[in-house]
Every structure is written in structure tokens, then in C-alpha cells.
Amino acid sequence: MPLTLAKQGELNTIKKIGGKEETKKFLENLGFIIGGSVIIISAIGGNLIVNVKDSRVAIGKDMASKIIV
């Protein structure tokens, strides 16, 4: 399921990252790698604040929908 559908506060493992190559590279540079863990801290209007690799990152709904957990 896409990250946008995951529950807040739940530990999720990243299974796949979709989108164009530049999008994948951008998310990888933020710490979203396959097999990595991600926790949604808060969700406001579809935009997410997540905890990934001991860092808080804000991502938009369109980017979050490309991350499959």
C-alpha cells in the first residue's frame, strides 16, 4: 500500500519506490531506501511528516504515494 494509507505512529518497511528515476533518486537522498523503516509522525491534508533514518522529513502527498510499504 502507498505510504499515504499507512497509520500514523506505525512502523512500516519500504517495499518499493515508484516514479521516474529522478524522483527515486530524490527520495533515496532523503533516506527512503528499499528495506528501510519509516514512521508517520503527522498527516495534514495528505502531506506527511515522517521519521526516516532518525530524521524528520516533510513530503507532499504526491511523493508519499510513490513510496510503497
Side-chain angles (χ1 to χ4, degrees), residues 31-67:
F32 295 94
I33 55 170
I34 295 171
S37 59
V38 61
I39 301 171
I40 297 176
I41 297 168
S42 69
I44 302 167
N47 299 318
L48 305 175
I49 297 176
V50 298
N51 195 358
V52 61
K53 288 204 167 195
D54 298 326
S55 299
R56 285 187 178 197
V57 179
I59 56 172
K61 186 178 186 178
D62 56 337
M63 285 285 186
S65 65
K66 291 175 175 41
I67 302 169

